[in-house]
Amino acid sequence: MGWRDFLAMSTRALVAHRMRSFLTLLGIAVGIAAVILLTSIGEGIHQFVLTEFTQFGTNVVAVNPGSKGIKGGPPGLPNTARPLTLEDARALERIPGVTAVTPAVWGNAEVEGHGRVRRSTVYGVGPAMQQVFTMSVRSGRFLPADNAEQPRAFAVLGSTLKRELFGHGNALGERVRIGGERFRVIGVMESKGQLLGIDLDDTVYIPTARGLALFNRDGLLEIDVSYREGTPAAAIARAVERVLDARHGRKDFSTTTQEDMLEALGNILDILTAAVGALGGISLLVGGVGIVTIMTIAVTERTGEIGLLVALGARRQTILGLFLGEAVALAALGGACGLVIGIGLAQLVGLLVPDLPVHTPLKFVVLAEITAVVIGLLAGVLPARKATTLDPVEALRAE
Amino acid sequence: MRLTDTFAFATRAATGTPMRTALMMLAMSIGVAAVVLLTALGDGARRYVVGQFNALGSSLVIVLPGRTETGGVGASAFVTNAARDLTAADAAAVLRGADVTRVAPLLLGNADVAWGGKLRETMIVGTSTHFLDIRKLELAQGRFLPDEGFDRATPVAVIGAEIREQLFGSERALGQMLRVGDRRYRVIGVLARSGSGLGMNSDELVIIPVASAQALFNTAALFRIFVEARNRDAVPGAKAETLSILKARHGGEEDVTLITQDAVLGTFDRILGALTLGVAGIAAISLAVAGILVMNVMLVAVTQRTAEIGLLKALGATGPAIRRVFLAEAGLLSIAGALCGLLLGHIGAWGLRQAFPELPAYPPNWAILAGVGTAIGTGLLFGIMPARRAAEMDPVDALAKR
């Protein structure tokens, strides 16, 4: 049988039972659409979270006090018997490849200004923070490169805090009281928005040494090191560890590269997307059962036809191919419909929730279509085999 | 046609084509089993978390230093530094509240712990004697911290089971002098093994009096204060009292955040509940697909049984009677499939419980009802069109198989 005849027979069989074919298609299509929609949303969340985290630059290594692998406590414990100091931070600046270092300490304090009071997060940071975290100043300037031990009492406001205290008025040059101490406002930061529900703009930045004094601490909470683009993160982390090791005598700190963190985060999100896709896959499985059912019925109905074909000399393989082809065609067509529906729905979700960058990667599209075809093949095998084992004489007599 | 006849007819029709019936039931049962199993998983996780929280005691108020206008629990929950510290003296003052029974200040930090040439870094908890009861911990040996003022820096320590094993091995830990940071403490007790709780593994702790911890870390700032109310009803009162005492002590400034156990629990409960519902909804899509299959097969059945329908009509069966027969078949199929799925789901949930004994993976009643209900509902809904087509057949045409 030529492939032309083959195709013609399959199509005729499908078209002859329009309603039946349509419903089988629909079953597979719903399954594929569910998988595509869910993975698109999952992928969208993935992208969303990654951009949220990479907005601070990706070439950052964070150093925290306390060695890694301490179990039993919440992350970032504030106290340690071995503090990280401003001198440690200065030593890290000398590492080749490092572009900027900012020693950081943060806490919560009352900020008074323009006759208003607001409790905000206070960050004690170095003048290079702006560079490390790729943040920009909207008006005025960032903290100047003063003597690190005795910096002048300057403060830079986050945009939310500026609005709450000064409204639309000018804040530059005004005085604010932070935890009872006086600071002069020299800049206002560009808005950074929210990260995981925390307003990043309800903050005020002051020099690190002032922050340490304000919170009455001698150790930093974190040192952030940014390095030249293209330098391997692991090499910088190793160099940081070597320098601090030499200064402290042993490893009583831990380093986290942004790369590691993003990779770990990416892995978790990938698993999440896969899990959600698998949930949608349940529908696909049911759709597969649908194809099996319909093909079984088709074989029973067309017993006479099969008998005739065999009597005319059609080989068993041809019969097998005919039924398998029909099942695969159904599944592939249903899969294609499902793809269109799924991508359409995903775009609709994207329109309704503009914050979520729904995204259907080609990988998922191809994977889903292949899955549909494979399901068609698997579902077709049983009925098709049954068709080939029919005895032609018996089959011809069936009608 | 009588009701029993209708059902007998439908049953015979279904059992007449066993392969087809079995496949339809399989499709239905996959959907129902997925709903039951996934909700069992979700609800099990919810119950596990709630159980963990309740183990902490439900009449707890947690005091955090610092307060921000925005973000609520978010940002300030990870911040210990505030311009005005939360101190052990604050904790002692809170104890004066009428609705407050116990108070445990909490000062956390990392330090080296060493004994007999073995050294490891671990978490140090500076607290008071009430910590044991508030966190519902148990002692394996010795006794807990002595009941004394929060300003007494007695050099004693209680260690977790894991720490005991790693540092002391088979030797006796009680009475030994343990070096923590640059100070020495006498081990007076060992905690019983309790496994990991939420966020804090008590097997790897070293617990010392709060004043000792203040000296060790050279800070007065507490990480948290745990306040236990007299009972569950007294929680709001205890919260108000704590807040007013701390406000008075901090110069009229409200610079602390108070969290009640119920509020945290409620949040977790809602999040996990919504998650379970979402997962169940996704699984229920497969029931719609199964419904489409039922419709498809019933349509085929109507076509195949045209002659039979014609005969029935010729013998005087009315349209509604025919419709009932086909609807009954769709309903029976769905019910059988749903029951099979329920059984499969329960077996799956049982398997989950065997694999993870700490997870109470029981499907909630609403999920069972919703799963089975949706299955039967979709089966009947998708059965309507084929049944109507059968009912509307012209008897003469049908008998002629046209």
Side-chain angles (χ1 to χ4, degrees):
Chain A
M1 206 189 282
W3 66 271
R4 230 180 263 274
D5 298 330
F6 199 85
L7 210 66
M9 257 188 110
S10 275
T11 357
R12 250 204 316 279
L14 289 180
V15 175
H17 300 283
R18 256 165 315 221
M19 187 68 182
R20 189 191 296 182
S21 302
F22 167 72
L23 285 175
T24 315
L25 277 183
L26 191 63
I28 287 284
V30 170
I32 290 282
V35 171
I36 285 291
L37 176 63
L38 290 169
T39 47
S40 294
I41 292 176
E43 194 65 17
I45 292 173
H46 190 155
Q47 303 275 336
F48 176 74
V49 172
L50 285 194
T51 42
E52 285 273 282
F53 275 93
T54 49
Q55 63 175 328
F56 299 108
T58 46
N59 49 343
V60 177
V61 177
V63 186
N64 296 94
S67 67
K68 222 176 257 178
I70 301 169
K71 291 182 214 140
L77 271 185
N79 294 318
T80 175
R82 295 281 196 130
L84 284 174
T85 61
L86 286 173
E87 287 80 45
D88 286 333
R90 210 167 310 138
L92 295 180
E93 282 173 11
R94 291 194 289 270
I95 296 174
V98 166
T99 51
V101 174
T102 171
V105 59
W106 57 85
N108 181 273
E110 203 166 62
V111 183
E112 267 180 80
H114 204 243
R116 297 198 192 131
V117 181
R118 186 176 174 82
R119 295 203 67 87
S120 282
T121 311
V122 179
Y123 279 90
V125 293
M129 188 211 76
Q130 194 194 354
Q131 206 180 330
V132 173
F133 289 117
T134 56
M135 296 167 87
S136 48
V137 176
R138 191 167 65 204
S139 60
R141 61 201 171 99
F142 200 68
L143 300 172
D146 280 343
N147 175 359
E149 305 296 334
Q150 282 161 332
R152 285 169 284 173
F154 289 149
V156 177
L157 300 180
S159 57
T160 303
L161 185 61
K162 186 256 165 191
R163 198 180 57 242
E164 292 295 333
L165 292 183
F166 295 97
H168 293 293
N170 180 31
L172 295 185
E174 298 286 334
R175 289 199 177 275
V176 288
R177 249 175 206 286
I178 302 171
E181 287 178 54
R182 283 151 66 89
F183 288 83
R184 185 181 290 281
V185 178
I186 58 165
V188 177
M189 300 301 287
E190 202 70 67
S191 172
K192 266 287 181 186
Q194 293 197 340
L195 179 64
L196 306 177
I198 300 168
D199 189 347
L200 296 172
D201 300 321
D202 195 6
T203 51
V204 52
Y205 300 95
I206 59 174
T208 315
R210 296 268 169 187
L212 287 173
L214 180 67
F215 299 123
N216 189 22
R217 296 180 54 95
D218 29 53
L220 300 170
L221 286 180
E222 189 168 297
I223 301 176
D224 294 296
V225 178
S226 74
Y227 50 90
R228 209 171 296 133
E229 207 75 56
T231 322
I236 295 290
R238 260 201 311 280
V240 166
E241 280 169 24
R242 213 164 35 239
V243 169
L244 289 182
D245 236 349
R247 291 181 57 85
H248 288 209
R250 54 194 202 78
K251 198 171 177 305
D252 54 2
F253 55 88
S254 54
T255 53
T256 321
T257 65
Q258 190 95 3
E259 262 180 39
D260 287 349
M261 212 186 74
L262 287 179
E263 202 180 297
L265 202 66
N267 281 343
I268 294 173
L269 290 167
D270 275 344
I271 291 172
L272 210 72
T273 308
V276 172
L279 277 181
I282 299 170
S283 306
L284 206 53
L285 184 68
V286 177
V289 175
I291 296 196
V292 178
T293 318
I294 290 304
M295 291 309 291
T296 316
I297 292 172
V299 170
T300 326
E301 273 185 355
R302 283 151 64 189
T303 310
E305 189 185 328
I306 296 166
L308 188 62
L309 278 174
V310 175
L312 288 175
R315 279 174 305 161
R316 305 259 169 210
Q317 257 171 332
T318 315
I319 307 277
L320 190 73
L322 209 58
F323 278 87
L324 266 186
E326 204 178 309
V328 170
L330 266 177
L333 217 61
C337 292
L339 282 179
V340 173
I341 299 172
I343 293 172
L345 281 177
Q347 292 306 320
L348 197 70
V349 169
L351 280 181
L352 293 178
V353 191
D355 281 344
L356 193 73
V358 274
H359 173 66
T360 317
L362 198 66
K363 186 178 74 182
F364 287 147
V365 173
V366 174
L367 211 66
E369 187 59 31
I370 289 177
T371 315
V373 171
V374 168
I375 282 183
L377 259 177
L378 288 177
V381 164
L382 220 69
R385 276 185 58 96
K386 196 175 151 203
T388 57
T389 51
L390 285 175
D391 181 40
V393 183
E394 289 292 319
L396 264 175
R397 219 182 353 182
E399 232 4 65
Chain B
M1 214 189 266
R2 277 180 299 151
L3 196 66
T4 43
D5 288 337
T6 306
F7 274 99
F9 193 85
T11 318
R12 258 204 311 282
T15 47
T17 48
M19 181 71 177
R20 189 191 293 179
T21 308
L23 282 170
M24 275 201 281
M25 275 171 59
L26 176 67
M28 270 292 172
S29 59
I30 289 174
V32 175
V35 170
V36 170
L37 189 60
L38 288 169
T39 50
L41 193 64
D43 206 54
R46 189 184 64 82
R47 278 189 226 197
Y48 174 74
V49 171
V50 170
Q52 287 278 324
F53 264 99
N54 281 338
L56 239 82
S58 57
S59 49
L60 219 53
V61 178
I62 303 167
V63 185
L64 282 60
R67 185 169 66 88
T68 42
E69 249 82 7
T70 54
V73 185
S76 56
F78 303 108
V79 173
T80 315
N81 294 323
R84 198 192 304 267
D85 292 336
L86 202 57
T87 64
D90 287 334
V94 167
L95 195 50
R96 288 202 297 269
D99 281 333
V100 176
T101 48
R102 297 195 187 106
V103 168
L106 204 61
L107 198 157
L108 299 185
N110 293 326
D112 291 332
V113 180
W115 185 80
K118 280 173 279 206
L119 180 145
R120 70 187 301 266
E121 195 174 344
T122 192
M123 190 164 82
I124 314 295
V125 178
T127 184
S128 73
T129 183
H130 295 313
F131 186 70
L132 189 73
D133 292 323
I134 288 179
R135 279 299 311 270
K136 307 252 189 307
L137 296 174
E138 279 181 33
L139 281 173
Q141 297 169 12
R143 58 200 169 81
F144 200 65
L145 301 179
D147 191 359
E148 58 189 6
F150 294 161
D151 50 354
R152 288 279 301 273
T154 319
V156 292
V158 175
I159 60 177
E162 188 69 34
I163 292 288
R164 196 209 78 88
E165 199 146 290
Q166 287 178 358
L167 290 183
F168 296 95
S170 57
E171 284 178 71
R172 187 177 163 81
L174 286 187
Q176 302 284 3
M177 291 306 280
L178 185 73
R179 188 169 69 73
V180 179
D182 52 358
R183 285 148 198 273
R184 278 149 60 86
Y185 300 86
R186 189 173 296 283
V187 177
I188 57 166
V190 178
L191 291 176
R193 215 169 254 287
S194 71
S196 59
L198 285 171
M200 200 192 270
N201 183 354
S202 62
D203 292 346
E204 300 197 34
L205 295 182
V206 171
I207 302 172
I208 57 178
V210 65
S212 302
Q214 284 176 336
L216 180 66
F217 295 117
N218 188 24
T219 176
L222 295 183
F223 182 66
R224 300 273 187 275
I225 299 177
F226 284 157
V227 179
E228 195 186 59
R230 201 154 22 81
N231 52 44
R232 213 189 173 106
D233 300 326
V235 168
K239 190 178 172 187
E241 275 173 4
T242 305
L243 194 59
S244 69
I245 290 172
L246 289 179
K247 204 169 163 181
R249 286 184 57 86
H250 288 194
E253 208 180 297
E254 193 182 321
D255 59 355
V256 292
T257 309
L258 268 66
I259 307 173
T260 58
Q261 190 100 33
D262 284 352
V264 181
L265 189 59
T267 311
F268 267 102
D269 208 26
R270 268 200 307 282
I271 291 175
L272 286 169
L275 213 66
T276 308
L277 207 62
V279 165
I282 294 172
I285 299 176
S286 60
L287 283 174
V289 178
I292 295 175
L293 176 61
V294 168
M295 174 161 154
N296 205 357
V297 172
M298 293 300 293
L299 278 176
V300 172
V302 170
T303 321
Q304 283 182 347
R305 281 152 66 190
T306 308
E308 196 180 324
I309 296 166
L311 186 63
L312 277 175
K313 281 215 157 176
L315 288 174
T318 55
I322 303 277
R323 194 179 316 150
R324 272 200 300 278
V325 169
F326 278 89
L327 271 182
E329 192 180 336
L332 280 177
L333 275 173
S334 312
I335 291 170
L339 290 181
C340 274
L342 199 60
L343 191 69
L344 278 178
H346 271 296
I347 292 173
W350 177 80
L352 265 182
R353 290 198 295 274
Q354 297 302 310
F356 309 99
E358 65 273 15
L359 196 73
Y362 293 94
N365 288 331
W366 63 261
I368 293 175
L369 280 178
V372 173
T374 315
I376 296 171
T378 42
L380 286 177
L381 191 74
F382 284 101
I384 287 176
M385 192 197 147
R388 183 175 292 165
R389 182 177 280 192
E392 281 166 2
M393 274 185 187
D394 182 60
V396 181
D397 281 348
L399 263 178
K401 279 199 90 176
R402 271 205 299 265

